[in-house]
Amino acid sequence: MMLHDVFQLSVIATLVDFVGSLLIGLSAGRTLFRYLLSGHSARVVSGLQYRLAADLVTALSFKSGAGIIRTLTVTDWSHFALLLAIISLRFFLGQIFSRLYKTNP
């Protein structure tokens, strides 16, 4: 792999990671804003929790994707361990959210 290709993969990984971080920030901000306007009814709060959980799982997918892209350029075991932790976190959070909110029909 040439240095130019490594740089492009690094830029792509950074952009994908940034999109994941942006999704986390935007969904948290949107949820807080809607919560403050909701009047704190249990039905609205439950819907907000479900939407926030779905947004966070999507953001973790972007973050794990960035980690996978980074592993194409890194041969250090600590980076592989970090990637494994991110993917594991995404898997377990997805499982927990799907059980809590019954997303599977």
Side-chain angles (χ1 to χ4, degrees), residues 19-38:
V19 169
S21 299
L22 191 64
L23 281 173
I24 291 170
L26 289 175
S27 62
R30 181 183 64 188
T31 302
L32 177 64
F33 181 72
R34 289 184 177 171
Y35 175 73
L36 293 174
L37 295 178
S38 71

Side-chain angles (χ1 to χ4, degrees), residues 15-62:
L15 289 174
V16 171
D17 195 23
F18 176 73
V19 169
S21 299
L22 191 64
L23 281 173
I24 291 170
L26 289 175
S27 62
R30 181 183 64 188
T31 302
L32 177 64
F33 181 72
R34 289 184 177 171
Y35 175 73
L36 293 174
L37 295 178
S38 71
H40 312 297
S41 72
R43 189 173 141 249
V44 172
V45 170
S46 177
L48 289 174
Q49 287 174 337
Y50 173 75
R51 188 70 218 151
L52 180 61
D55 289 346
L56 290 178
V57 168
T58 302
L60 276 173
S61 295
F62 275 91

Side-chain angles (χ1 to χ4, degrees), residues 60 64 81-94:
L60 276 173
S64 63
L82 179 63
L83 173 66
L84 183 61
I86 291 171
I87 292 173
S88 299
L89 179 64
R90 191 253 184 251
F91 173 76
F92 288 118
L93 285 176

